Amino acid sequence: MAWLAKSFNSSLGKKLLMAITGLFLISFLIVHCGLNATIFLNDGGVAFNEGAEFMAHNPIIRTMEIVLFGGLLLHIFDGLRLWLDNKKKRPVAYAVVDGAANSKWYSRSMGLLGTLLLLFLIMHLKHFWYFSRLTNDLTESHTLYNEMQVVFQSPIVVIVYVLGCISLGYHLLHGFQSAFQTMGWNHPKYTPTIKAIGAIYSIVIAALFAAMPVAFYFNLIQ
């Protein structure tokens, strides 16, 4: 296994690990967003609570939850390593940098966006994962859907969630395409399509997640 550790400690290996864990998390977001979007059925949270109940007690899902946390921690750890490597390569910033000439601002700000996302994720886990997994507050009379109604009555929380979702959108906008490029899945014929799919995916995922706290706060769903 030493050769595997050595491979993932190389510059290319670090980028490859970032791409693999990133694509895994991108896949998870589709499932997570799909389940959460059932609140827009406006059925009083019936479909959402049924889905949440299934996810909480299905042994396969619970096992994948452990894998998910492992992938997330690897992604964070690897992102930190890459950020430190870049700092070491350029200890002194250039006097004049025309970053816009070569890349988008969010491509150059993945470290900042990742940090904002981590802070947002900690708040999100505290509000819902901790509540549903590690407390005895989840009951038939106070479901996870009810907890969302309570949490999103705070305008401060809603604003933080919306800002977190915006950060997520920009993070995905760069990460989606970058992961495919790192994996070698790029071609002049297909890359424009990959970019378009990545942009649509990033906007839809971020917009849906951001719409949820807003909808609860303004009582657009019951």
Side-chain angles (χ1 to χ4, degrees):
M1 295 298 290
W3 65 269
L4 184 61
K6 185 177 181 180
S7 297
F8 280 119
N9 278 322
S10 67
S11 179
L12 179 60
K14 292 173 186 177
K15 292 179 180 179
L16 187 61
L17 182 60
M18 177 63 71
I20 293 171
T21 55
L23 289 172
F24 174 65
L25 294 171
I26 283 171
S27 301
F28 161 75
L29 283 177
I30 295 175
V31 178
H32 187 45
C33 189
L35 172 61
N36 284 17
T38 59
I39 66 172
F40 294 115
L41 295 175
N42 213 16
D43 60 355
V46 174
F48 174 80
N49 284 329
E50 288 178 353
E53 183 74 11
F54 173 78
M55 299 282 279
H57 295 95
N58 184 285
I60 297 177
I61 299 296
R62 293 306 300 272
T63 301
M64 285 304 298
E65 195 173 82
I66 298 173
V67 176
L68 172 65
F69 272 104
L72 177 61
L73 291 174
L74 269 177
H75 193 73
I76 294 170
F77 173 70
D78 202 47
L80 180 60
R81 289 199 303 171
L82 287 170
W83 180 78
L84 290 173
D85 285 350
N86 289 333
K87 294 288 287 185
K88 290 176 183 177
K89 290 177 183 177
R90 192 187 299 177
V92 179
Y94 296 138
V96 178
V97 178
D98 184 12
N102 300 311
S103 61
K104 301 292 185 180
W105 72 267
Y106 51 82
S107 298
R108 304 189 304 274
S109 306
M110 290 297 279
L112 173 62
L113 291 171
T115 301
L116 292 174
L117 275 177
L118 178 59
L119 296 174
F120 164 68
L121 180 63
I122 292 171
M123 174 186 281
H124 180 63
L125 291 173
K126 169 62 173 64
H127 282 151
F128 302 112
W129 186 84
Y130 176 81
F131 170 80
S132 63
R133 298 290 195 273
L134 302 179
T135 72
N136 296 318
D137 299 330
L138 189 64
T139 64
E140 290 185 7
S141 59
H142 189 82
T143 64
L144 193 57
Y145 182 83
N146 297 138
E147 184 65 10
M148 291 176 73
Q149 291 176 310
V150 172
V151 168
F152 293 135
Q153 287 309 301
S154 166
I156 301 300
V157 171
V158 171
I159 291 171
V160 171
Y161 266 73
V162 171
L163 291 176
C165 292
I166 292 173
S167 297
L168 173 64
Y170 280 117
H171 195 78
L172 291 172
L173 201 56
H174 171 75
F176 190 100
Q177 176 197 343
S178 180
F180 276 82
Q181 184 175 347
T182 300
M183 298 296 291
W185 300 334
N186 57 332
H187 187 279
K189 183 178 180 180
Y190 306 118
T191 297
T193 302
I194 292 173
K195 287 184 178 180
I197 293 174
I200 293 171
Y201 170 87
S202 304
I203 293 170
V204 170
I205 291 292
L208 278 173
F209 276 130
M212 295 172 196
V214 173
F216 274 115
Y217 182 76
F218 288 105
N219 295 316
L220 300 178
I221 52 179
Q222 301 298 325

